[in-house]
Amino acid sequence: MEPAAAAGSPLSAAAAGSPLSAAAAGPPLLAAHAARIAVDDVVAIDALTVETRGDRVLCAGDTGALFAALTGIPLSTARRPEPPASADGALDETPGEARVVAGRLAVAGRDVGGFAQRAASGAAPLDPPLPLGWTAEAYVGWSARLAGASARAAAEMAPAALARVGLAAARRRTLQTLALPERRALVLAQAIAAAPPVVIAEDPLVGLDDGAAGFVLAALAGATEGRGALITAARLDAEGPQSVLLRGATSVVVLAGGELAFAGTFAEIAAGGHAYALTVRTNAGPLREELAARGIALRGGPARFTAALPEGATARDIVLAASRCRAAIVELVPLF
């Protein structure tokens, strides 16, 4: 069954949640200084330095390793690099585990490298495996128990969390009867069961049509009301349901090729030029020099790069520069 969309426009900016007051602001929700994140000992993000503003942070682009590091949830097999093996053929660590191996990464002032953030944040991964025979209430209740709540407290927390995401009427239903948008809301409910000050949600709207996305946006609004929200998305989209997350964000961070491609606000995105992710097969060095002569900085490497275009420049400038220095661009994708 498909859940009904929440009342009001499903694309209303209000569905992104109500920001905390400026007086309640503390450390940046996401802060990094020369942070290096490795997945199975393969560097996925290097030299990340950024500080966000406000309590609604949207991280877009290649964010899988970042989400895994922030939450402690290993990347899926399809999304992680091939892990190295020990001498006896056994893996040296949990496959897909992301770790901060240099620099500093923090959530709301809590060090990710020391796992301090886990006690103050709730994670909502994208479509995790679920015990389909359980009820929604049992699933969220056990999430509260795993977060340290007593059995009695968890029994009270579960219905409250389900109500906040619009699943009060579904508390006795088994998970196998829930539609995809309801399961996305359920995962948000378990993330807030123990009332953490921060919610970290992975691409909650991906693959949903407008009606289903409206339901999840309303669930996200309930889950993040009164707490910080760090949300990831594969791409930025100024139209459609994803635009609600973009327009409601107090900070936007874009990662590409293991590097920071952009950090700012939606207003800066709307007022500025565009940024592209590109893969270069040959002559990357000459291409960097040619683009620099045109006022375009090429970042990253050795094969995957990002290029932020100044006002007046277009993707055609990148193509012309590549043609001039005979650089083979095999992919050119707009980031925003």
Side-chain angles (χ1 to χ4, degrees), residues 97-318:
E97 181 182 7
R99 298 178 296 114
V100 179
V101 296
R104 186 173 188 272
L105 180 66
V107 173
R110 296 176 180 250
D111 182 42
V112 173
F115 311 114
Q117 88 290 357
R118 296 186 187 179
S121 60
L126 176 63
D127 301 334
L130 298 174
L132 299 181
W134 288 26
T135 66
E137 187 173 50
Y139 178 70
V140 176
W142 271 108
S143 296
R145 293 288 304 276
L146 291 173
S150 66
R152 174 175 293 183
E156 296 176 354
M157 291 174 171
L162 288 166
R164 290 195 68 164
V165 301
L167 292 179
R171 54 186 290 210
R172 303 291 188 187
R173 288 170 54 189
T174 59
L175 305 192
Q176 63 189 352
T177 69
L178 301 182
L180 178 59
E182 293 172 309
R183 294 186 187 188
R184 298 263 175 99
L186 175 76
V187 174
L188 288 167
Q190 65 79 30
I192 64 168
V198 178
V199 172
I200 305 174
E202 184 181 23
D203 219 349
L205 303 184
V206 65
L208 302 180
D209 61 24
D210 285 7
F215 180 86
V216 176
L217 280 170
L220 191 61
T224 60
E225 183 179 2
R227 56 173 56 92
L230 200 161
I231 302 168
T232 71
R235 292 192 61 179
L236 296 179
D237 193 345
E239 299 181 356
Q242 291 277 9
S243 69
V244 177
L245 300 180
L246 176 59
R247 296 172 187 274
T250 53
S251 277
V252 179
V253 175
V254 181
L255 301 177
E259 287 196 345
L260 180 68
F262 174 84
T265 64
F266 170 70
E268 290 171 318
I269 291 175
H274 296 280
Y276 285 82
L278 57 157
T279 302
V280 183
R281 181 176 295 169
T282 60
N283 290 343
L287 177 60
R288 189 190 299 271
E289 295 175 2
E290 181 67 27
L291 288 174
R294 298 167 182 256
I296 301 172
L298 189 65
R299 301 179 59 187
R304 299 185 66 190
F305 300 86
T306 60
L309 303 186
E311 185 175 357
T314 67
R316 185 171 182 271
D317 292 284
I318 299 177

Side-chain angles (χ1 to χ4, degrees), residues 19-27 54-55:
L20 300 177
S21 68
D55 69 317

